[in-house]
Amino acid sequence: GMFDDSVRPIIEAGRAGWAEDGFEVAEGLTLRSCPGHTPGSMMLEVAGPEDTAMFVGDVVHHPAQIYRPEWNSIFCEDPEQARETRRRVLDLAASREALLIPSHFGGSHMARVLRDGRGFRPVLNPL
């Protein structure tokens, strides 16, 4: 039902386009491929002069997945690819000290990701 409700109207209105990994929507707004949860999934990276935000959609569903990136939701269509993508995105967020903004976090809806040994940990309410 989601495709018919949310995607089909955009396509039928002629407002959809195809974008490859690294497509720059505008200066500082870059689309990055994030397959695994759903085919064709992408995140939007917003790079400003002093900070970066990563709108990651369904790559991370819950803060626990920052501690345990191997955990998938039951909705991941390609579980192994989802794990690989999640690790890559968390590594990128930690490397850039970016603000991670997933679709499904409660509360502040965002976190910073820090390295913790060989893994990661979230800093919730990071502003």
Side-chain angles (χ1 to χ4, degrees):
M2 183 192 70
F3 181 84
D4 288 331
D5 175 69
S6 302
V7 178
R8 186 180 310 279
I10 295 169
I11 293 170
E12 289 175 351
R15 304 285 303 182
W18 192 257
E20 298 293 331
D21 182 49
F23 177 77
E24 191 171 59
V25 177
E27 186 177 344
L29 302 174
T30 306
L31 293 174
R32 304 278 180 209
S33 178
C34 290
H37 179 74
T38 50
S41 181
M42 299 189 102
M43 74 171 184
L44 177 64
E45 184 177 6
V46 180
E50 296 181 23
D51 207 355
T52 299
M54 297 167 56
F55 292 82
V56 298
D58 291 332
V59 172
V60 182
H61 270 258
H62 190 277
Q65 288 178 302
I66 296 173
Y67 292 107
R68 301 295 301 263
E70 70 274 13
W71 289 357
N72 282 327
S73 76
I74 61 170
F75 302 106
C76 291
E77 293 188 30
D78 184 337
E80 190 52 42
Q81 180 66 64
R83 289 180 189 99
E84 187 178 311
T85 295
R86 191 172 308 107
R87 284 185 202 102
R88 178 177 53 83
V89 166
L90 292 172
D91 185 60
L92 184 63
S95 296
R96 296 188 179 170
E97 299 181 8
L99 190 59
L100 187 80
I101 306 173
S103 294
H104 300 288
F105 277 22
S108 69
H109 304 285
M110 65 186 102
R112 298 261 181 210
V113 177
L114 303 178
R115 295 190 192 288
D116 190 8
R118 294 180 8 182
F120 306 99
R121 68 180 173 86
V123 175
L124 302 174
N125 300 314
L127 299 178

